Amino acid sequence: MSGYVRELALAAREAQQAIAAAGAARRSAALEAMADRIEADTEAILAANADDLAEADSTGVTAALRDRLRLDPERLRAVADGVRQVAALPDPVGVVTRRETRPNGLVVERQRLPLGLIAMIYEARPNVTADAAALCLRAGNAALLRGGHEARRSNSAIAASLRAALSDAGLPGAAVTVIEDPAREHVLELLSLRELVDLAIPRGGEGLIRFVAEHARVPVVAHYKGVCHLYVDASADPDLALRLLIDGKTTRPGVCNALETLLVHAHCASEFVPLAVAALHARGVEVRACERSRALVEGLVPATEADYAAEFLDRLIALRVIDDLDDAIAHIRNYGSNHTEVIATRDPLAAQRFVDALPSAVVMVNASSRFSDGGELGLGAEIGISTTRLHAYGPMGAEALTIERFVVRGEGQVRHPPGG
Amino acid sequence: MSGYVRELALAAREAQQAIAAAGAARRSAALEAMADRIEADTEAILAANADDLAEADSTGVTAALRDRLRLDPERLRAVADGVRQVAALPDPVGVVTRRETRPNGLVVERQRLPLGLIAMIYEARPNVTADAAALCLRAGNAALLRGGHEARRSNSAIAASLRAALSDAGLPGAAVTVIEDPAREHVLELLSLRELVDLAIPRGGEGLIRFVAEHARVPVVAHYKGVCHLYVDASADPDLALRLLIDGKTTRPGVCNALETLLVHAHCASEFVPLAVAALHARGVEVRACERSRALVEGLVPATEADYAAEFLDRLIALRVIDDLDDAIAHIRNYGSNHTEVIATRDPLAAQRFVDALPSAVVMVNASSRFSDGGELGLGAEIGISTTRLHAYGPMGAEALTIERFVVRGEGQVRHPPGG
């Protein structure tokens, strides 16, 4: 390995100490300055983005990828506003979460500390550069960013604005460091820096996330698939269930908190399945259905095992009629991805059993899966949604970029007093 | 790989669901039964231990290793009592740590969930088998245990008692699974089971911990070295500082929370260094000293760079006179291991700067480093002391073997209301 990323990481780690020491007010001011600077640099950023787009057009990319890559003045304003929202969030650093006095008089506190240096490895969206950097800084961390090759000029231009704003605020620009050289070996080097990188967060397609998990020697919190389920219980209000289905499946099918499978209790299937299929078809959603559903509605495509495990990210849904709550739980345990599950029910005992029996990151009762999002759940912003059951599970906000440590205050207490 | 560990892990994961579903009272009863069973099986466990000891004697081991390996009726009673203490701890599973109502009426809770399957990889002490299994079960997890080769008969005998007690309590014995085949390849297989093992905790020497960190494809929370510092500030009460020094260095030099380096402010060095050296020498501790210390006390061995970074685990200490608090902080950042640092001071501002500037897992003001321990800090018991700044940092108790997830309750809320 060339040592190129190692040098960047060392400088970013050094810079992190200044970010951590700066205190909440200076971090907020720096974040405000970063937002302003992005807007002031609109022309330069859009010019860099135009170059990325031109290259993308010349090599031929999908319309979806091109759209993710593209910035315009409005989108850039939204990026700046996102940074401003992070600037307004409560600063988690130094917050004392618990305090206890021990029988020997020691006062034991738990206090939030920045993680240190956080590496983000992501794909085409250049807005992630600003979003991730802002949330890392809010929690007193430095960010080492490795975006997609297609967006490299846009990412560098955004990072240049962020770094300039940090410098103006008297803080080291190296706290936001972009790995600009696109060589693939640099990702491997990044993932090998065990003493330097405190956390790596991959954000993107399953291929990227598996690559990172496979090669990382640094701690990783990954977001795998969102195979989200809606289970419609026998006691569900059909109107409510239908509302959750439409919101969960059709308002933005390409995101990870969209529904992928609908499970319906046999007792309400003859009423609910035809309603559901009609509503889905009316909104252009293809239904892949189990045998029992196909007995209720003609002309549905049969669902395969693969459909039950699929994250379609598209106008497609799997539909299965199951015998009871236990079968719903067994189905979700078998095919699910531990991301987000929803029960529609009027039975509080069924709701409680559903919550207790499923170890998913987010479990909802009578609410849309689309609320599985840091902003919607009160975190203010999110850097990703963890499906790794360690450190953070579900949407990760600024607090998830800190760790709790122990601060102990005494008056000379010792464990083995002399003569004691 | 043979698939041998994979089969064990699959069975343990299956068993974990029953442990999680059992509820706090049944987990407590099972833990009580485990403690009783260890005592009832004393004869069998000690016989297995005698075989391990005989093999150790025939191959020739150090007295220290032999002592760590050895069980006797008293030690075994202490093991059982440790399990009883864990049985009496508050059960963390299902505990709601926060509850917030969002403006749209959604009630968002954070709730503790077991991590799942926890793998412990450890060395000679057979008591770890019972300690680790008990704490894992307390938090609703299953434990997959790989102890040292030398202790394998003792570990298997203890695990047999624990499993028998689980079965008697109507819970699956596979929730405590020992990897009995000693082949080294099984550790590698264990560390490769990314979809099955939620957390691996290595406990033992630095070699073991580095091996695990190097080869793990599963999440690891490691405890590296404890290079713990005592910094005696200019304003320190010399009697208090001396008490912390003696407790920290001499009461149990072989443990990770023992002191390894003493830093003394130049303003009090001429008074404190001779006192400290005399007290250390009187207790058989060798002092490796900087030039300025050697100017104050004759005949001290010069300290090397390596001494400042060393975890002696012995009756040895490094001593350095530094110019001021900033130098102390710089020294600790440079040579420390982020385990536990202590300041002795009467100056509250100096204390606060020391706490704020050091990102160690445990920072103490006027208290002995030897309190850096789960029991002493109020966790009831500990499975290890993390120096990994992710998930848990410092002593890890039952709560550190859980993760917080989101439970959301609504009344049909959707993110994009029709016509909204």
Side-chain angles (χ1 to χ4, degrees):
Chain A
M1 290 181 188
S2 66
Y4 162 74
V5 182
R6 189 183 171 77
E7 290 303 312
L8 294 177
L10 281 167
R13 267 187 92 81
E14 181 75 22
Q16 187 266 327
Q17 296 189 20
I19 301 296
R26 284 187 66 202
R27 279 191 290 274
S28 295
L31 287 162
E32 291 283 357
M34 285 162 63
D36 293 346
R37 186 71 183 232
I38 286 172
E39 289 192 331
D41 291 346
T42 294
E43 207 174 315
I45 296 170
L46 293 185
N49 187 243
D51 289 345
D52 281 339
L53 285 169
E55 186 182 280
D57 290 337
S58 75
T59 57
V61 295
T62 64
L65 179 73
R66 193 183 195 281
D67 182 61
R68 286 203 290 276
L69 185 54
R70 191 176 60 81
L71 292 173
D72 59 27
E74 194 188 341
R75 285 187 176 184
L76 206 53
R77 207 153 38 235
V79 170
D81 284 343
V83 174
R84 274 190 199 101
Q85 278 168 33
V86 172
L89 287 179
D91 191 289
V93 180
V95 168
V96 172
T97 58
R98 285 183 264 186
R99 180 180 285 120
E100 185 199 359
T101 303
R102 302 288 305 153
N104 62 2
L106 287 182
V107 178
V108 180
E109 290 179 353
R110 306 295 296 268
Q111 186 199 42
R112 287 195 198 283
L113 204 67
L115 292 179
L117 178 58
I118 296 173
M120 282 284 301
I121 301 155
Y122 51 106
E123 291 179 333
R125 288 180 201 273
N127 63 301
V128 174
T129 304
D131 292 356
L135 212 53
C136 287
L137 292 176
R138 174 75 294 168
N141 301 288
L144 187 55
L145 306 167
R146 212 294 189 165
H149 182 60
E150 326 76 44
R152 67 188 181 284
R153 298 179 192 86
S154 313
N155 289 335
S156 293
I158 291 171
S161 293
L162 301 178
R163 291 165 69 109
L166 277 172
S167 294
D168 289 350
L171 291 170
V176 177
T177 291
V178 166
I179 299 172
E180 302 202 329
D181 184 327
R184 179 84 167 210
E185 65 173 275
H186 295 321
V187 180
L188 287 172
E189 189 187 353
L190 170 63
L191 295 174
S192 77
L193 298 174
R194 210 167 63 222
E195 314 287 320
L196 299 180
V197 172
D198 294 289
L199 173 63
I201 303 176
R203 209 165 121 179
E206 213 181 331
L208 169 73
I209 291 165
R210 295 221 174 258
F211 179 86
V212 168
E214 195 64 50
H215 292 92
R217 296 293 167 283
V218 301
V220 174
V221 169
H223 160 201
Y224 285 105
K225 296 189 293 185
V227 182
C228 305
H229 298 79
L230 168 61
Y231 163 59
V232 179
D233 191 37
S235 72
D237 171 345
D239 290 339
L240 181 150
L242 210 53
R243 214 154 61 229
L244 301 187
L245 173 65
I246 293 165
D247 194 66
K249 184 68 244 183
T250 72
T251 54
R252 216 172 155 200
V255 294
C256 64
N257 60 19
L259 290 175
E260 305 294 6
T261 295
L262 170 64
L263 301 171
V264 182
H265 193 292
H267 289 181
C268 64
S270 59
E271 179 195 8
F272 189 73
V273 166
L275 279 175
V277 170
L280 290 164
H281 281 172
R283 288 163 181 83
V285 177
E286 181 187 330
V287 180
R288 306 242 173 116
C290 71
E291 210 176 311
R292 289 160 84 176
S293 318
R294 283 182 288 121
L296 297 167
V297 180
E298 277 179 33
L300 296 177
V301 179
T304 64
E305 283 286 305
D307 289 329
Y308 291 138
E311 186 185 28
F312 296 119
L313 296 173
D314 205 346
R315 293 193 170 269
L316 257 171
I317 195 166
L319 165 60
R320 190 177 194 181
V321 173
I322 40 80
D323 282 331
D324 54 23
L325 176 57
D326 284 343
D327 276 3
I329 290 165
H331 177 103
I332 296 171
R333 278 187 171 271
N334 192 19
Y335 296 102
S337 67
N338 281 335
H339 190 293
T340 300
E341 329 299 349
V342 179
I343 182 172
T345 185
R346 277 184 289 211
D347 174 356
L349 289 180
Q352 198 54 47
R353 248 192 68 64
F354 188 82
V355 170
D356 290 344
L358 288 171
S360 300
V362 184
V363 183
M364 305 215 176
V365 179
N366 295 329
S368 170
S369 66
R370 297 274 292 107
F371 289 116
S372 186
D373 168 280
E376 297 294 332
L377 296 183
L379 308 184
E382 74 177 30
I383 201 160
I385 298 182
S386 165
T387 56
T388 305
R389 201 149 57 185
L390 196 79
H391 182 70
Y393 197 38
M396 292 174 70
E399 272 183 12
L401 302 180
T402 66
I403 185 80
E404 285 184 50
R405 58 103 166 246
F406 294 81
V407 177
V408 182
R409 290 188 175 82
E411 297 169 310
Q413 286 91 335
V414 294
R415 194 149 161 196
H416 296 284
Chain B
M1 289 181 189
S2 66
Y4 162 73
V5 182
R6 189 183 170 77
E7 289 304 312
L8 294 177
L10 281 167
R13 268 187 91 81
E14 181 75 22
Q16 187 266 327
Q17 295 189 21
I19 301 296
R26 282 187 66 203
R27 280 191 289 274
S28 296
L31 287 162
E32 290 283 356
M34 285 161 65
D36 293 347
R37 187 70 183 234
I38 286 172
E39 290 193 330
D41 290 347
T42 294
E43 205 174 319
I45 295 170
L46 292 184
N49 187 246
D51 289 345
D52 281 337
L53 285 170
E55 186 182 279
D57 290 336
S58 75
T59 59
V61 295
T62 64
L65 179 75
R66 191 183 197 283
D67 183 61
R68 285 202 291 277
L69 184 55
R70 191 176 60 83
L71 292 172
D72 59 28
E74 193 189 341
R75 286 186 176 185
L76 206 53
R77 204 151 44 232
V79 169
D81 284 343
V83 174
R84 274 189 199 103
Q85 278 167 33
V86 172
L89 287 179
D91 191 289
V93 180
V95 169
V96 173
T97 58
R98 285 184 264 187
R99 180 181 284 119
E100 184 199 0
T101 303
R102 302 287 306 153
N104 62 1
L106 287 182
V107 177
V108 179
E109 289 180 352
R110 307 294 296 270
Q111 186 198 43
R112 287 195 199 282
L113 205 68
L115 291 179
L117 177 57
I118 296 172
M120 283 286 298
I121 301 155
Y122 52 105
E123 292 181 330
R125 287 179 202 273
N127 63 302
V128 174
T129 304
D131 292 356
L135 212 53
C136 287
L137 292 175
R138 174 75 294 167
N141 301 288
L144 187 56
L145 306 167
R146 211 291 189 170
H149 180 63
E150 326 73 46
R152 66 191 183 282
R153 298 178 191 86
S154 311
N155 289 335
S156 293
I158 291 171
S161 293
L162 301 179
R163 293 165 68 110
L166 277 172
S167 294
D168 288 350
L171 291 170
V176 177
T177 291
V178 167
I179 300 173
E180 302 202 330
D181 185 327
R184 180 85 166 208
E185 65 173 274
H186 296 321
V187 180
L188 287 171
E189 187 186 355
L190 170 63
L191 295 175
S192 77
L193 298 174
R194 212 166 62 224
E195 314 288 319
L196 299 180
V197 171
D198 294 287
L199 174 63
I201 303 176
R203 209 165 121 177
E206 214 182 331
L208 169 72
I209 292 165
R210 296 222 172 257
F211 179 86
V212 168
E214 195 64 50
H215 293 92
R217 296 295 166 279
V218 300
V220 174
V221 169
H223 160 199
Y224 285 106
K225 296 190 293 185
V227 182
C228 305
H229 298 78
L230 168 61
Y231 164 59
V232 179
D233 191 36
S235 72
D237 172 344
D239 291 339
L240 181 151
L242 210 55
R243 214 154 62 227
L244 301 188
L245 173 64
I246 293 166
D247 194 65
K249 184 68 246 183
T250 71
T251 53
R252 217 173 152 200
V255 295
C256 64
N257 60 17
L259 290 176
E260 305 294 6
T261 296
L262 169 64
L263 300 172
V264 182
H265 193 291
H267 288 182
C268 63
S270 61
E271 180 194 7
F272 190 73
V273 166
L275 278 176
V277 171
L280 291 163
H281 280 172
R283 288 162 181 83
V285 178
E286 180 188 329
V287 180
R288 306 246 172 114
C290 71
E291 214 177 307
R292 291 160 84 176
S293 318
R294 283 182 290 123
L296 296 168
V297 180
E298 277 178 33
L300 296 178
V301 179
T304 63
E305 283 286 304
D307 289 329
Y308 291 139
E311 186 185 28
F312 296 118
L313 297 173
D314 204 346
R315 294 195 169 266
L316 256 172
I317 194 166
L319 164 61
R320 190 178 193 182
V321 174
I322 40 82
D323 281 332
D324 55 21
L325 176 57
D326 284 343
D327 276 3
I329 289 165
H331 178 103
I332 295 170
R333 277 187 172 273
N334 191 20
Y335 297 102
S337 67
N338 282 334
H339 191 293
T340 300
E341 329 300 349
V342 178
I343 182 172
T345 186
R346 276 182 291 210
D347 174 357
L349 290 179
Q352 198 53 48
R353 250 194 66 63
F354 188 83
V355 169
D356 289 345
L358 289 172
S360 301
V362 184
V363 183
M364 306 215 174
V365 179
N366 295 329
S368 170
S369 66
R370 298 273 293 108
F371 289 117
S372 187
D373 168 278
E376 297 294 331
L377 296 183
L379 308 184
E382 73 177 31
I383 201 160
I385 299 183
S386 166
T387 56
T388 305
R389 204 147 56 182
L390 196 80
H391 183 70
Y393 197 39
M396 295 174 69
E399 274 184 11
L401 302 180
T402 67
I403 185 80
E404 285 184 50
R405 57 100 168 251
F406 294 82
V407 176
V408 182
R409 291 187 174 83
E411 296 169 312
Q413 286 91 333
V414 294
R415 194 149 159 195
H416 296 283

